[in-house]
Amino acid sequence: MLNQTIFAISDDNGALPELCAGAKSLASRVIAVVFGDSSAAEAAAGCGADAIRYCPVSDEGAPEDYAAAIAAAVKKEDRAFVMLNNSIRGRCLAGRIGVLLDTPVLTSVGAVAEEDGALICRRMVYGGTAQRSERFAKPYGVATISGGAFEPSAGLPACTDIAQLEGEPEGGIRRLSRAEKKEGGVNLVAAKRIVDVGRGLAAEEDLALCRELAGVLGAEVGCSRPVAENNKWLPKSSYMGITGVQVKPDVILALGVSGQVQHIGGINKSRVIVAINKDKAAPIFKNCDFGLVGDLYKIVPALIKKLS
Ligand SMILES: Cc1cc2nc3c(=O)[nH]c(=O)nc-3n(C[C@H](O)[C@H](O)[C@H](O)COP(=O)(O)OP(=O)(O)OC[C@H]3O[C@@H](n4cnc5c(N)ncnc54)[C@H](O)[C@@H]3O)c2cc1C
């Protein structure tokens, strides 16, 4: 474990326990930064951090307004590592903090480990066909961490060192309006069971079959990228892979998914992968724990009957 501070920063309190658990396994002190008033910090008290600093973002403001205040807090340390969640906001904030700390930013980091006194970040490159390991050559490092990189710890004592972050927001961005997204999203990162729908599904109405299976399994429904991007049968937030959501449920059931490396990169941390595909040469069979060669239109109804 390194004798230094890690800042765990998230615009989504739900991602904080995972970031803090990872940070705590790597460094002696973890400071969490949340966006909102003191009640947001109180709500995050069980995240596992040694201290929590909150940034009271105004209704018209944005987390990025606090980049300078966060960088100033980081600079109080001789060396520090800044981890942010890998959301769009997290990446914007990371860029600004990186500039202010005069250090590069690594995005979509899938794993961080301590080796020989340094933090090594690993992430997928070349469309998921290779993995690159990098470390910062400067005293400060900034990285956005993909969901599922760490395992959150449960039952932690509530943090009592809670205070407002020192410094004023810059106010460079002003929100004009906020509208709810029309597409209903699912939280695949937190799902314990997922039915993963691929292009083997012949028609949009057949999603009802997949949803029925998900219902009896108590699972969420996710998909491969073309099902969301090309067919537009499910929201884009439902597709898994290196450019989509990275999940690690207890079990994932891949229906008519070929198993291309870009998709596997998003599901390969699942505890158990079950694949149903009619092509016995499909690459998914090299990446699953249980494989069924056959027509999903015959197997899924039989599974629903058996499991109901
Ligand atoms: C830069 C880049 C990034 C990408 N990022 C992602 C990503 O993040 N996520 C992602 O998913 N993809 C991504 N892709 C696309 C990826 O390469 C694949 O094209 C995609 O994952 C394939 O989706 P699929 O398996 O659903 O479809 P297909 O590859 O078309 O496979 C369909 C499968 O269904 C099987 N099948 C057909 N009918 C049946 C049936 N009745 N019963 C059982 N099986 C059946 C077929 O045998 C086939 O194996 C990316 C591509 C690029 C170039």
Side-chain angles (χ1 to χ4, degrees):
M1 183 186 285
L2 294 179
N3 185 20
Q4 69 166 61
T5 299
I6 293 185
F7 288 80
I9 304 172
S10 179
D11 66 326
D12 166 15
N13 267 11
L16 215 47
E18 191 187 318
L19 280 183
C20 289
K24 203 71 196 145
S25 69
L26 297 165
S28 53
R29 183 166 158 79
V30 176
I31 300 177
V33 177
V34 300
F35 299 94
D37 57 17
S38 57
S39 60
E42 299 288 350
C47 68
D50 301 299
I52 300 178
R53 298 292 172 255
Y54 60 91
C55 307
V57 183
S58 73
D59 244 13
E60 294 151 5
E64 292 95 305
D65 293 342
Y66 282 89
I70 293 170
V74 176
K75 278 185 182 167
K76 287 184 184 163
E77 311 283 333
D78 293 337
R79 317 178 57 79
F81 186 57
V82 182
M83 301 198 315
L84 301 101
N85 62 324
N86 199 37
S87 64
I88 293 172
R89 273 261 114 93
R91 291 195 294 264
C92 286
L93 190 53
R96 284 181 172 221
I97 295 172
V99 168
L100 292 161
L101 295 176
D102 188 26
T103 194
V105 175
L106 299 179
T107 54
S108 304
V109 169
V112 187
E114 191 248 306
E115 282 172 28
D116 300 327
L119 292 176
I120 310 295
C121 297
R122 296 200 170 83
R123 54 183 177 158
M124 282 183 278
V125 289
Y126 301 124
T129 53
Q131 220 183 37
R132 180 186 288 162
S133 297
E134 289 153 305
R135 76 172 180 83
F136 289 93
K138 296 192 163 199
Y140 302 120
V142 181
T144 66
I145 311 291
S146 299
F150 304 115
E151 200 63 56
S153 312
L156 297 169
C159 172
T160 51
D161 180 359
I162 295 177
Q164 185 170 334
L165 187 79
E166 282 174 27
E168 291 301 312
E170 285 173 309
I173 298 171
R174 193 138 297 176
R175 180 189 292 131
L176 300 178
S177 64
R178 194 191 337 222
E180 212 172 304
K181 250 195 203 170
K182 287 211 180 81
E183 56 178 39
V186 288
N187 188 356
L188 292 173
V189 175
K192 293 284 171 214
R193 295 171 185 182
I194 296 174
V195 170
D196 176 8
V197 181
R199 222 161 21 177
L201 204 71
E204 185 174 3
E205 52 268 28
D206 301 341
L207 274 174
L209 188 66
C210 306
R211 290 201 173 103
E212 196 182 342
L213 178 61
V216 296
L217 285 172
E220 299 286 0
V221 177
C223 62
S224 65
R225 179 163 143 174
V227 170
E229 289 259 352
N230 304 13
N231 298 357
K232 302 192 188 336
W233 291 350
L234 285 168
K236 283 186 193 163
S237 55
S238 297
Y239 89 75
M240 296 166 283
I242 57 162
T243 53
V245 187
Q246 283 158 23
V247 299
K248 53 173 185 182
D250 291 338
V251 61
I252 188 162
L253 192 57
L255 310 176
V257 171
S258 59
Q260 300 305 318
V261 66
Q262 294 89 357
H263 187 73
I264 295 298
I267 67 166
N268 59 5
K269 285 189 179 155
S270 306
R271 204 160 283 165
V272 176
I273 300 177
V274 182
I276 299 172
N277 195 303
K278 67 179 183 185
D279 175 9
K280 70 174 192 297
I284 189 81
F285 290 126
K286 291 204 171 89
N287 288 290
C288 69
D289 300 285
F290 300 97
L292 280 159
V293 180
D295 186 344
L296 72 90
Y297 287 94
K298 289 188 182 138
I299 296 171
V300 173
L303 269 178
I304 292 169
K305 203 169 158 199
K306 185 88 185 157
L307 295 167
S308 293

